[in-house]
């Protein structure tokens, strides 16, 4: 059997890259924490805050539309989608999660711009706290 070697983190430099972050306003407290962590990660890798465009949309379902508009109108290197969809009494959360994922994948394929899907579908509020 082979031994698993310790992974060495990549030295990533974001100096020359621009990003757009689309974040849902729904479940804003949790999404704001995701946004804060995302911004911290980008700036810790030398992405200039001036090269980060933040767009807020009402809910997760609007994220793919905004992503598509941004991809068509702005010169960016990567899109990041952030949102939290919490399960209710129906399967609506699954429908939203699947349509958002499909929409974001379409944006990436159609525009050749990488899209990071940070929209989480969770079973309850305590799960969303754990994932932050």
């Amino acid at each position: 059997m082979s031994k698993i070697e310790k992974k060495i983190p990549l030295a990533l430099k974001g100096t020359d890259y621009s990003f757009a972050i689309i974040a849902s306003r729904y479940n804003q407290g949790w999404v704001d924490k995701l946004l804060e962590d995302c911004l911290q990660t980008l700036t810790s890798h030398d992405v200039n805050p001036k090269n980060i465009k933040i767009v807020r949309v009402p809910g997760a379902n609007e994220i793919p539309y905004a992503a598509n508009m941004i991809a068509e109108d702005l010169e960016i290197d990567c899109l990041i989608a952030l949102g939290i969809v919490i399960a209710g009494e129906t399967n609506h959360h699954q429908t939203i999660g699947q349509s958002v994922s499909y929409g974001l994948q379409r944006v990436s394929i159609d525009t050749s711009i990488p899209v990071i899907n940070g929209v989480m579908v969770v079973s309850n509020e305590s799960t969303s706290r754990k994932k932050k």
Side-chain angles (χ1 to χ4, degrees):
M1 284 208 275
S2 65
K3 293 182 180 180
I4 298 175
E5 295 180 30
K6 184 178 177 182
K7 291 185 179 181
I8 300 170
L10 296 173
L12 301 173
K13 288 284 187 187
T15 315
D16 299 326
Y17 298 102
S18 60
F19 294 82
I21 303 171
I22 303 107
S24 170
R25 281 191 216 105
Y26 202 78
N27 295 316
Q28 188 164 352
W30 293 301
V31 177
D32 285 351
K33 178 63 175 141
L34 293 174
L35 178 58
E36 178 185 318
D37 291 348
C38 182
L39 290 169
Q40 181 182 11
T41 299
L42 291 173
T43 56
S44 73
H45 290 286
D46 298 325
V47 175
N48 185 332
K50 292 179 182 180
N51 292 340
I52 303 170
K53 169 88 171 152
I54 300 170
V55 175
R56 297 303 291 248
V57 296
N61 203 47
E62 290 76 28
I63 291 173
Y65 175 79
N68 189 61
M69 297 304 291
I70 291 167
E72 288 179 353
D73 293 342
L74 300 178
E75 290 194 26
I76 54 158
D77 297 301
C78 182
L79 287 158
I80 301 171
L82 301 175
I84 303 254
V85 180
I86 301 173
E89 294 179 16
T90 68
N91 69 346
H92 183 70
H93 64 287
Q94 293 172 336
T95 302
I96 296 296
Q98 289 172 350
S99 67
V100 169
S101 292
Y102 174 77
L104 292 173
Q105 185 179 46
R106 273 285 14 125
V107 170
S108 184
I109 290 168
D110 292 347
T111 65
S112 298
I113 295 173
V115 177
I116 298 171
N117 184 353
V119 177
M120 296 188 298
V121 179
V122 297
S123 56
N124 54 51
E125 290 184 22
S126 66
T127 306
S128 68
R129 283 189 205 101
K130 291 176 188 173
K131 295 200 180 245
K132 289 195 288 187

